[in-house]
Amino acid sequence: MSIEYAILGFLSWRPLTGYDLKKLFADSEFFYWSGNSNQIYRALVKLHGEELVSREIERQNNYPDRKVYTITGEGRAALRAWIGSTPELPELRHAFLVQLAWADLLPPEELDALLKTYEDRARAQLLICQEQERRGEIDPARTPREAYLWRMMAENWIGFYQHELAWVRTLRDGLVAFENGEREA
Amino acid sequence: MSIEYAILGFLSWRPLTGYDLKKLFADSEFFYWSGNSNQIYRALVKLHGEELVSREIERQNNYPDRKVYTITGEGRAALRAWIGSTPELPELRHAFLVQLAWADLLPPEELDALLKTYEDRARAQLLICQEQERRGEIDPARTPREAYLWRMMAENWIGFYQHELAWVRTLRDGLVAFENGEREA
DNA sequence: GTTGCCATGTAAGGTGTTACATGATTTA
DNA sequence: TAAATCATGTAACACCTTACATGGCAAC
């Protein structure tokens, strides 16, 4: 999936500038792009070329002109079509698992230290997600059903990090048991 | 993280050709690269340039010459250093969540159909992971501890899809309750 | 006789990141 | 006085994917 549909999604709420979109992407976890200008401004040019959005230029005296993008009828149709299209499975790039694959090279203390670092990071990330859900920064909540969907989206992320934490705890405990020589086959 | 360390990891077991590596990557879930030749052959050229691997060319009469790569001392040192370096958090690109963000556009039946498709796919993927663990295709298992690490790596993936399945079940049930108008705030 | 395996690679394109550039205004 | 905010964008590069190219051999 490409960033264009997410942009169309945001524009389906209200007209926005590239700068606005940049902040929306930067502020949220599950919009996983970094929110960098390059991608967003190029995507907007492309969407404009395809007439999925229209552009209005607002003059400003001391700042650069604002380019306000509005979704068109075709844009809404394209968004709607994508929303209904067959879903993809998530892509998980778990670099740490690759690291673990050869972690038998490490002595027990160093391995445990590595796992502890990972655990701390995952916990920190979990807190960030939970805090983000609590604040509910960008929540359209136009209907109760939509509010429910957004809550469940946040739950998905939170659950992911909780699972990750539980897993690393189990792993560390298992390795300690190993050290004490009481491991089953 | 880049593919180079994973290649060094595989080469730390035994010398391999690009073709061998390609298959190793293609066969496993948590080595998340697609296992395409472009990346692998270029990475090998780079590693060779940095003298982290050495290359031996085996003549063959009817096939192209095999280029067998062996990890060097520097290669092992680089691998060891990377294994001990501070771990990164996993990157999750969950396109379906982005789709869900605007799924309130869909009527109830279509939304449920979408979720069902996702559920089926996730279940299928879970089975693939479980099957892969059962077969234990590429498992070094040089020490019991290493075997344990690899089992836990597989568990991580399996748990991920199990979590995903449980989540989508909850979501679907919640939406049905919504339809029946018995939703709490 | 077509598919798949062995074994090397190239070409082209999509996607994404970081850093840079401008320049006035507000906040610490 | 340094920084962040508003608002646009460019440049360079890293990374990753699909498809293509070669060509003999084995299996179904």
Side-chain angles (χ1 to χ4, degrees):
Chain A
M1 112 117 216
S2 62
I3 200 173
E4 279 124 34
Y5 290 108
I7 290 178
L8 285 179
F10 283 127
L11 291 179
S12 78
W13 295 347
R14 62 180 178 285
L16 294 165
T17 67
Y19 189 74
D20 296 331
L21 286 162
K22 192 172 146 177
K23 280 184 298 180
L24 285 169
F25 282 113
D27 285 358
S28 182
E29 273 297 308
F30 42 72
F31 300 104
Y32 42 77
W33 303 274
S34 70
N36 68 99
S37 15
N38 192 330
Q39 249 185 310
I40 289 167
Y41 288 109
R42 273 199 298 114
L44 284 170
V45 168
K46 192 183 165 209
L47 288 171
H48 189 237
E50 293 167 343
E51 305 196 0
L52 303 181
V53 303
S54 66
R55 173 164 60 191
E56 257 182 284
I57 295 171
E58 286 182 13
R59 292 270 142 178
Q60 305 199 115
N61 5 15
N62 292 325
Y63 295 109
D65 298 349
R66 299 178 80 230
K67 296 186 181 170
V68 183
Y69 293 90
T70 305
I71 193 168
T72 63
E74 283 126 299
R76 281 187 197 281
L79 175 62
R80 172 54 227 258
W82 178 69
I83 297 302
S85 69
T86 63
E88 292 165 43
L89 286 178
E91 259 181 81
L92 183 53
R93 311 205 155 183
H94 210 319
F96 185 52
L97 287 190
V98 181
Q99 211 170 334
L100 267 194
W102 289 279
D104 198 42
L105 290 170
L106 302 178
E109 323 78 53
E110 201 175 336
L111 177 51
D112 189 63
L114 196 71
L115 290 165
K116 186 180 180 323
T117 306
Y118 184 72
E119 184 181 333
D120 293 343
R121 289 208 165 184
R123 200 187 335 268
Q125 196 59 44
L126 174 61
L127 286 175
I128 290 172
C129 283
Q130 283 171 334
E131 176 62 14
Q132 201 176 273
E133 187 192 20
R134 214 186 43 71
R135 282 203 313 272
E137 293 198 318
I138 48 172
D139 188 345
R142 291 170 295 185
T143 70
R145 191 174 71 147
E146 187 159 48
Y148 176 67
L149 284 175
W150 280 68
R151 201 158 62 244
M152 285 303 287
M153 286 160 59
E155 285 303 324
N156 184 285
W157 277 97
I158 289 168
F160 172 69
Y161 285 113
Q162 280 170 341
H163 167 254
E164 209 59 24
L165 266 178
W167 171 80
V168 72
R169 284 285 351 142
T170 307
L171 179 47
R172 289 182 72 192
D173 291 347
L175 287 169
V176 167
F178 239 101
E179 285 314 297
N180 304 337
E182 52 200 54
R183 212 44 229 166
E184 23 46 280
Chain B
M1 115 114 213
S2 61
I3 200 172
E4 280 124 36
Y5 290 109
I7 290 179
L8 285 180
F10 283 127
L11 291 179
S12 78
W13 296 346
R14 62 181 178 284
L16 294 165
T17 67
Y19 189 74
D20 296 331
L21 286 162
K22 193 173 146 176
K23 281 185 296 180
L24 285 168
F25 282 113
D27 285 359
S28 182
E29 272 296 309
F30 43 71
F31 300 105
Y32 44 78
W33 304 274
S34 70
N36 66 100
S37 13
N38 192 328
Q39 249 184 310
I40 289 167
Y41 288 110
R42 273 198 298 111
L44 284 171
V45 168
K46 193 184 165 207
L47 288 171
H48 189 237
E50 292 168 344
E51 304 195 2
L52 302 181
V53 302
S54 65
R55 174 164 61 191
E56 256 180 285
I57 296 173
E58 285 182 14
R59 291 269 142 181
Q60 305 199 115
N61 6 12
N62 292 325
Y63 295 111
D65 299 348
R66 300 177 80 230
K67 297 187 180 170
V68 183
Y69 293 90
T70 307
I71 193 166
T72 62
E74 282 125 299
R76 282 188 195 278
L79 176 61
R80 171 55 227 258
W82 178 68
I83 298 302
S85 69
T86 63
E88 290 167 42
L89 286 179
E91 258 181 82
L92 182 54
R93 309 204 157 183
H94 210 320
F96 185 53
L97 288 190
V98 181
Q99 211 170 335
L100 267 194
W102 287 279
D104 198 44
L105 291 170
L106 302 177
E109 323 79 53
E110 201 175 335
L111 177 50
D112 190 62
L114 196 72
L115 290 166
K116 186 179 179 324
T117 306
Y118 183 72
E119 184 181 333
D120 292 343
R121 291 209 165 185
R123 200 186 338 268
Q125 196 58 45
L126 174 60
L127 286 176
I128 290 171
C129 283
Q130 283 170 333
E131 176 61 14
Q132 201 177 272
E133 187 192 19
R134 212 186 44 71
R135 282 204 313 274
E137 293 198 316
I138 47 171
D139 189 344
R142 292 171 295 186
T143 71
R145 191 174 72 148
E146 187 160 47
Y148 176 66
L149 284 174
W150 280 68
R151 201 157 65 244
M152 287 303 288
M153 286 159 59
E155 285 303 324
N156 183 285
W157 277 97
I158 290 168
F160 172 69
Y161 285 112
Q162 280 171 341
H163 168 254
E164 209 59 24
L165 266 178
W167 171 81
V168 72
R169 285 284 353 139
T170 307
L171 179 49
R172 289 182 71 193
D173 291 346
L175 287 169
V176 167
F178 238 101
E179 286 313 297
N180 303 337
E182 52 199 55
R183 214 45 230 167
E184 24 44 278

